[in-house]
């Protein structure tokens, strides 16, 4: 998909729509994405669980709240303008 934003305005993004039914794939994708983002020097990344019923977003937030995962980032927030998007901020 074409993104019209300039390259420097784009952020790393993980869209969970294609794998939303498989818990193991979701956790693996989240773990790999967060480690890659942390190592890349990005200051903020987005995870897109989508709006739907909210269960996938709850799983994402629970994953992010695990003690060993929290060490990777500074804070996380649900985008106030788009509740189907979670932003993760790094140091």
């Amino acid at each position: 998909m074409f993104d019209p934003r300039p390259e420097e305005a784009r952020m790393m993004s993980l869209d969970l729509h294609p794998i939303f039914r498989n818990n193991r794939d979701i956790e693996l994708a989240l773990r790999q994405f967060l480690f890659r983002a942390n190592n890349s020097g990005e200051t903020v990344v987005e995870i897109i669980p989508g709006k739907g019923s909210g269960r996938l977003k709850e799983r994402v937030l629970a994953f992010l709240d695990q003690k060993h995962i929290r060490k990777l980032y500074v804070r996380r927030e649900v985008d106030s303008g788009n509740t189907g998007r979670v932003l993760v901020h790094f140091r």
Side-chain angles (χ1 to χ4, degrees):
M1 175 164 75
F2 174 73
D3 188 341
R5 295 175 292 177
E7 181 110 15
E8 62 275 1
R10 296 180 198 159
M11 70 173 70
M12 287 179 68
S13 180
L14 174 64
D15 185 351
L16 294 173
H17 287 100
I19 58 171
F20 76 96
R21 293 190 189 272
N22 189 319
N23 285 333
R24 192 175 354 172
D25 287 350
I26 290 168
E27 288 209 4
L28 180 61
L30 286 167
R31 184 172 280 109
Q32 289 175 343
F33 177 72
L34 289 173
F35 279 103
R36 189 170 60 246
N38 187 39
N39 291 330
S40 74
E42 292 285 329
T43 57
V44 63
V45 298
E46 66 180 355
I47 300 171
I48 304 170
K51 294 179 183 175
S53 68
R55 284 186 292 179
L56 183 53
K57 181 173 65 177
E58 288 174 13
R59 289 195 333 219
V60 168
L61 295 175
F63 177 85
L64 291 172
D65 288 342
Q66 293 177 82
K67 191 174 185 176
H68 66 285
I69 298 297
R70 281 205 50 90
K71 293 177 183 179
L72 296 173
Y73 65 92
V74 177
R75 69 184 171 98
R76 56 110 173 131
E77 64 181 313
V78 175
D79 186 346
S80 60
N82 178 356
T83 58
R85 178 178 170 207
V86 177
L87 301 173
V88 181
H89 298 266
F90 296 90
R91 290 174 188 75

